[in-house]
Amino acid sequence: MDGFLFDVKVLELADEKGEFCGKLLAGAGADVLKIEPPGGQATREIGPFYHDEVHPERSLYFWHYNFGKRGITLDIESPPGTDLLKQLIAEADVLIDAQPLGTLEKLGLDWNALQALNPRLIYVLLSPFGHSGPWRDYKANDLVHLALGGQMMCCGYSPSDDGSYDTPPIAPQMWHAYHIAGNQAFIATVGALIGREMTEVGEMIELPVHQAVSVCTEIDVPHWIYGQTPCYRQTGRHAQPAIGPEVQFPTKDGRYSIILPNPFPGGYETLVGFLEGKGKAGDLGEDTYKELKNRRGRAFAEHFADIQAACVADFDLEEIWHEAQELGIPWSPIRLPEENPDDVQWQTRATFSQVEHPELGESYTYTGAPMLPNECAWRQGPRAPLIGEHNREVLCEQLGLSAEAVADLQDKGIV
Amino acid sequence: MSVKKRRPLEGVRIADLTWLLAGAGGPRLLASLGAEVIRIEWRDRLDFLRYMPPFASKREEESTEKAEAMDLTGLDTGKVQSVNRGGYFNDINAGKYGISLNMKAPQGRELFKKLVAVSDVVVEAFTAETMQKWGLGYDTLKAIKPDIIYMQQPGWGYKGPYVKYASYGPIAQAVSGLTEQSGLPAPHPPAGWGFSYMDWSGAYYCAMTILMALYYKKRTGKGQYLDCSQVEPGIGMTGTAVLDHAVNGRHYQRTGNRSPYTPAAPHGAYPCAGDDRWIAIAVTSEEEWQAFVRILGNPDWAAQDRFASLAERVKYQDELDRLVNAWTQEQEPFGLQERLQAAGVPAGVCQTAQDRIERDPQLKHLNWLLPLEHTEIGTWPIKDIPFHFANGQVSQGGPTERAAPCYAEDNAYVYKELLGLSQAEIEAFQDEGVI
């Protein structure tokens, strides 16, 4: 089956800001060519590493975020490198540029020049804070983005009873600022590709990571806009104007389960019936609680949570949640990422796939398609490119350089 | 030559049967790109978000809604003055048209089929069998409109044994592994997420999937059926940890705000002067360390051997963090951010919503909030889309150039103009409880 973006050619000049977007485009079927500096992209230095060997071909971070791409090395700042880059741009549909601000401009490749090279080009410019503005030159990483974007003030542990916090706000790991930006960049890019079908002209899209991250929180912004009400972070649940009842509780095997009630009509009664079946309903079945108005307020909410917590504490993590979910009660395990490949749901949906690393003679479990289409297929391979793996294929077969010319570029450190 | 700006999804029509955020957020994004999104609602089972605070108060009176914790034990729909005043709903549904339609009524389903016939996409997040039960499965939709794109987004996906299971953002986060990956190391429990990250991510993947299918349809003429889940995109964001286990047999362990895979120290959130004020600082290189020490005023402790290299600073980061804490807690956070950034040290205040809305000069520069008019509550700022197009017209107002629709606001447009019903027919349907 085809990939969705079967005829789209993408060039990627990106570090961790843009690699996730490139990975998604590759997953959707685009031909994504990653251009790395000679020696490899700096993201190859990010761990964890295969067998803990710190080596540019052993970064599991790089494996994951560059899955399904082809890769060449090219010093784009050298004159022959710039020239080859221009030839590649002329044939591309999309250019993802997440390099330091002004990198392409310095090579004479500003938006006007890019349009002249390729009027149909979709140019996607990812930067930490945008190309202008007072924070234009600020430096950031994942942590700093999640601080400025508001995620951290929403995430963390509940305050003490006096309302003071003795733990810091928490940045959820790992690399979510770039996940958020990558998802948004994908939306913008494919939207622009669709628009190009109508207009036949390209597009420049600017996406500041800071703005992408800042719009990805939930009720804290409307609460401030409509009521100037602050929201307070609390363990495992939404930051809100007041501290709500707990939702995550320890299980018998020392793990944690999440317990949400079903707020639909009848949800309470179903839950009580389920708890009664376990001999754990406490007083929840009493007549007084049959009326919604008697189930209001903080005291009941805490009582309600305590009773459910006592039930969960009698079971191992994976034991009872299926029974609850079969009844429409949304209890669920707080899992480790590596526990999911064994789940029959994901096995049925082929959510994970085995990816071959021929140079290692091994195959490993990767996360795969985020959905199941019936007409198209999500990409199954290959694994991330080795450094310069497709130099020959691209430079000789696509751009028509001779083997000698490539060898010469190699000697000069340009590829 | 002046060219009229065009919306990239001009001419694309979406029948939107979603609700909440994970569902309804997807079409919101498509509206920003110019799709005509028709949100379908029925008064007997409205979107919870229409009942969720905060509410826009009427200008002449004080808000009567006291901010409370969300009450999940049962929804009290009688409490709200109007279903059109919810600020959160207004944000999630900006740029959409809104109609009333009773899908439980046979005549309602016939009207829906008429809408399908003039739509490109049908998207819904009902429990899995609902549309089949109504006789509106993919085969039916395809018979009405051969190139229809039909996207189903039950929580766990349609295919698989968990088809009936419920999912909300916090559940998708918990199951995928994202909750476990957030927080201080054990014995602290996971801190998880203080908002429904997987609702936003569900919305992103809803939009992404529809966009991919729309592109494919433009190029080949073919529609398709898409079985989406809210959990799988979360799994896709845990890939490095999955690989670390597959390759190295390692189980994931939380490291709080410390850098798990790139050596960095100090790397965390440090307390500042004021009530619950914190600054994130990330020092990853020798150069940044030198600059950091300069801003600290070159204290004697910074010259100790055990902080002499990055490897040493990582090794002794408990001690380092203690010393940094002692210093930062005397500092005003925004001034410190300025000084650190001016010296080249990555640092940022842990900003609240108030900070971002009232203070952040960069977000202001980027016009991140867009004033949009709502028919009942007037003009309020809506979070705009974070991508800026040079040629295309892209903004959260979408084709309606309006905030969220009031309930049934666009019945006249959709039923009269789009589907060609007469005024008499519309009134009859209203009387019969169909629209």
Side-chain angles (χ1 to χ4, degrees):
Chain A
M1 282 200 284
D2 285 339
F4 294 92
L5 307 181
F6 63 96
D7 59 355
V8 175
K9 285 188 196 168
V10 179
L11 291 181
E12 179 189 297
L13 286 161
D15 59 7
E16 63 265 43
K17 286 191 297 297
E19 285 180 342
F20 185 56
C21 180
K23 172 192 164 72
L24 292 168
L25 290 166
D31 170 21
V32 179
L33 179 64
K34 183 172 181 65
I35 303 174
E36 303 181 62
Q41 188 72 41
T43 50
R44 292 178 178 272
E45 294 165 20
I46 301 175
F49 293 93
Y50 169 90
H51 296 178
D52 295 333
E53 296 166 27
V54 180
H55 183 282
E57 301 289 17
R58 300 281 189 264
S59 160
L60 304 183
Y61 173 96
F62 191 87
W63 289 11
H64 175 62
Y65 288 99
N66 294 284
F67 173 81
K69 302 175 189 173
R70 297 189 298 151
I72 62 168
T73 50
L74 190 64
D75 176 6
I76 61 166
E77 292 177 24
S78 68
T82 309
D83 186 53
L84 289 167
L85 175 64
K86 284 182 184 170
Q87 293 180 45
L88 288 168
I89 289 170
E91 295 178 16
D93 296 288
V94 176
L95 171 60
I96 299 174
D97 180 5
Q99 304 173 105
L101 292 176
T103 302
L104 288 189
E105 281 171 26
K106 270 184 280 176
L107 305 176
L109 291 172
D110 63 8
W111 172 227
N112 285 332
L114 290 171
Q115 279 178 297
L117 273 176
N118 180 351
R120 287 170 52 85
L121 184 72
I122 314 283
Y123 178 45
V124 186
L125 200 50
L126 281 136
S127 63
F129 293 92
H131 258 59
S132 59
W135 290 2
R136 175 190 186 272
D137 296 319
Y138 266 26
K139 288 171 80 175
N141 71 347
D142 190 43
L143 177 81
V144 170
H145 275 305
L146 296 176
L148 291 169
Q151 280 71 22
M152 289 186 75
M153 278 308 266
C154 292
C155 300
Y157 297 96
S158 301
S160 317
D161 288 340
D162 69 1
S164 68
Y165 285 96
D166 55 12
T167 50
I170 295 289
Q173 291 171 334
M174 343 167 2
W175 307 297
H176 289 294
Y178 304 126
H179 289 150
I180 295 165
N183 287 329
Q184 297 264 13
F186 181 97
I187 289 167
T189 303
V190 182
L193 280 166
I194 294 169
R196 193 182 71 173
E197 292 292 299
M198 171 176 62
T199 63
E200 290 296 331
V201 295
E203 183 63 82
M204 182 172 83
I205 300 163
E206 200 193 342
L207 194 143
V209 175
H210 179 47
Q211 189 179 358
V213 174
S214 292
V215 297
C216 186
T217 62
E218 213 179 339
I219 53 178
D220 61 335
V221 168
H223 268 297
W224 192 262
I225 286 175
Y226 292 89
Q228 287 74 54
T229 308
C231 288
Y232 300 100
R233 64 184 185 276
Q234 37 198 305
T235 313
R237 51 210 192 269
H238 283 57
Q240 315 176 49
I243 302 299
E246 289 191 47
V247 296
Q248 71 183 35
F249 298 102
T251 54
K252 197 172 159 191
D253 52 353
R255 302 287 300 281
Y256 289 89
S257 182
I258 183 158
I259 287 171
L260 293 178
N262 173 350
F264 293 98
Y268 178 79
E269 291 74 14
T270 305
L271 176 56
V272 172
F274 171 73
L275 291 167
E276 278 169 349
K278 301 283 168 211
K280 286 286 183 183
D283 63 355
L284 294 182
E286 285 182 8
D287 282 350
T288 173
Y289 294 135
K290 292 209 162 89
E291 285 185 69
L292 183 58
K293 69 176 165 57
N294 297 330
R295 306 200 301 264
R296 291 280 166 215
R298 171 105 194 241
F300 176 78
E302 283 179 1
H303 178 59
F304 189 43
D306 286 347
I307 286 176
Q308 295 178 76
C311 180
V312 168
D314 270 3
F315 295 90
D316 286 347
L317 181 67
E318 293 284 343
E319 251 179 6
I320 47 163
W321 71 276
H322 293 287
E323 253 183 88
Q325 280 275 13
E326 288 287 345
L327 298 170
I329 301 163
W331 289 10
S332 294
I334 295 183
R335 279 190 182 151
L336 289 157
E338 62 270 23
E339 291 175 307
N340 275 310
D342 296 329
D343 190 309
V344 61
Q345 178 75 4
W346 314 131
Q347 288 170 353
T348 309
R349 296 173 65 79
T351 307
F352 294 87
S353 56
Q354 291 297 310
V355 175
E356 216 187 321
H357 283 252
E359 74 290 353
L360 300 170
E362 301 270 6
S363 293
Y364 293 110
T365 303
Y366 276 67
T367 56
M371 92 298 287
L372 283 174
N374 83 329
E375 185 69 38
C376 295
W378 195 258
R379 183 185 286 281
Q380 298 294 313
R383 51 112 181 89
L386 304 176
I387 297 171
E389 183 171 358
H390 302 92
N391 282 358
R392 227 197 106 69
E393 188 177 304
V394 173
L395 298 176
C396 299
E397 291 163 31
Q398 191 179 331
L399 299 183
L401 267 66
S402 66
E404 295 75 40
V406 174
D408 182 49
L409 290 172
Q410 228 153 12
D411 289 344
K412 290 176 178 154
I414 291 168
V415 302
Chain B
M1 184 179 68
S2 103
V3 181
K4 183 180 177 290
K5 285 200 169 197
R6 303 185 72 173
R7 302 177 195 274
L9 298 190
E10 192 180 304
V12 172
R13 185 173 297 131
I14 298 175
D16 175 11
L17 286 161
T18 61
W19 66 344
L20 302 176
L21 165 55
R28 174 205 206 256
L29 296 164
L30 301 174
S32 80
L33 289 162
E36 184 180 281
V37 177
I38 299 172
R39 175 82 197 263
I40 299 163
E41 299 182 278
W42 186 240
R43 61 192 177 214
D44 293 345
R45 197 165 177 176
L46 284 179
D47 193 333
F48 281 10
L49 302 192
R50 285 198 178 274
Y51 301 107
M52 251 179 73
F55 298 100
S57 57
K58 289 179 179 149
R59 202 178 299 271
E60 63 274 22
E61 66 191 44
E62 284 291 306
S63 172
T64 53
E65 299 295 333
K66 187 170 159 287
E68 294 170 350
M70 274 187 275
D71 195 336
L72 296 170
T73 53
L75 196 66
D76 194 350
T77 54
K79 246 172 121 178
V80 301
Q81 305 168 358
S82 158
V83 296
N84 297 321
R85 308 188 77 82
Y88 186 33
F89 182 90
N90 196 27
D91 186 80
I92 302 303
N93 293 281
K96 299 183 182 183
Y97 293 90
I99 61 168
S100 61
L101 180 60
N102 183 359
M103 296 284 288
K104 286 188 177 163
Q107 287 169 298
R109 298 201 284 275
E110 291 309 310
L111 276 179
F112 177 71
K113 287 180 185 172
K114 286 188 187 198
L115 182 60
V116 172
V118 294
S119 295
D120 300 278
V121 179
V122 172
V123 50
E124 50 102 348
F126 291 125
T127 46
E129 300 292 347
T130 305
M131 290 286 275
Q132 283 286 356
K133 199 179 70 195
W134 285 338
L136 294 170
Y138 178 52
D139 288 344
T140 310
L141 302 180
K142 203 176 160 183
I144 298 166
K145 183 92 192 317
D147 61 355
I148 196 80
I149 292 167
Y150 174 36
M151 181 177 152
Q152 266 194 309
Q153 197 185 24
W156 296 68
Y158 193 82
K159 183 180 176 184
Y162 304 169
V163 61
K164 284 187 191 159
Y165 289 13
S167 175
Y168 304 104
I171 290 178
Q173 286 144 213
V175 173
S176 59
L178 297 176
T179 299
E180 181 68 42
Q181 288 187 302
S182 169
L184 298 167
H188 286 279
W193 292 74
F195 62 103
S196 283
Y197 179 51
M198 283 315 299
D199 278 357
W200 269 124
S201 299
Y204 296 151
Y205 281 79
C206 175
M208 288 155 70
T209 304
I210 290 170
L211 284 164
M212 293 187 288
L214 278 169
Y215 179 81
Y216 189 74
K217 180 176 148 177
K218 289 264 185 202
R219 303 296 296 161
T220 66
K222 292 181 194 165
Q224 62 189 304
Y225 167 73
L226 299 149
D227 169 356
C228 293
S229 84
Q230 190 184 10
V231 186
E232 280 167 324
I235 289 175
M237 292 189 278
T238 67
T240 308
V242 170
L243 264 179
D244 197 17
H245 183 260
V247 172
N248 295 321
R250 187 175 288 127
H251 289 288
Y252 188 82
Q253 290 189 314
R254 293 183 298 276
T255 62
N257 292 323
R258 288 182 177 174
S259 172
Y261 297 124
T262 307
H267 190 281
Y270 299 90
C272 293
D275 183 21
D276 195 31
R277 297 299 340 204
W278 305 79
I279 189 167
I281 300 172
V283 176
T284 58
S285 68
E286 194 55 39
E287 196 186 352
E288 287 169 4
W289 170 251
Q290 297 297 341
F292 180 66
V293 170
R294 257 198 330 275
I295 299 297
L296 250 74
N298 298 303
D300 290 343
W301 61 258
Q304 294 172 55
D305 285 350
R306 60 185 161 161
F307 301 135
S309 70
L310 180 55
E312 296 286 297
R313 292 191 289 276
V314 169
K315 188 171 165 192
Y316 294 107
Q317 62 183 316
D318 285 346
E319 175 65 4
L320 178 60
D321 279 351
R322 202 180 56 76
L323 292 159
V324 174
N325 275 339
W327 177 73
T328 54
Q329 65 187 4
E330 308 293 324
Q331 311 291 317
E332 189 280 319
F334 291 96
L336 180 57
Q337 170 186 304
E338 283 300 320
R339 288 180 351 256
L340 288 170
Q341 284 284 359
V345 179
V349 173
C350 295
Q351 294 201 105
T352 63
Q354 181 185 8
D355 295 332
R356 277 137 70 216
I357 293 162
E358 295 179 357
R359 172 164 202 145
D360 185 323
Q362 189 66 18
L363 288 176
K364 186 170 287 183
H365 174 79
L366 293 165
N367 295 316
W368 79 302
L369 296 175
L370 177 72
L372 281 177
E373 192 174 338
H374 180 286
T375 306
E376 182 169 321
I377 61 177
T379 300
W380 292 86
I382 300 289
K383 283 184 282 182
D384 203 357
I385 212 72
F387 32 80
H388 306 256
F389 278 51
N391 295 337
Q393 190 180 343
V394 171
S395 86
Q396 198 50 63
T400 65
E401 293 183 348
R402 191 183 70 190
C406 294
Y407 176 68
E409 178 163 359
D410 302 299
N411 278 8
Y413 165 63
V414 171
Y415 291 123
K416 204 179 270 181
E417 281 182 51
L418 219 53
L419 302 185
L421 268 60
S422 68
Q423 186 62 31
E425 285 172 306
I426 289 173
E427 282 167 16
F429 280 134
Q430 271 168 351
D431 293 344
E432 290 161 28
V434 175
I435 65 174

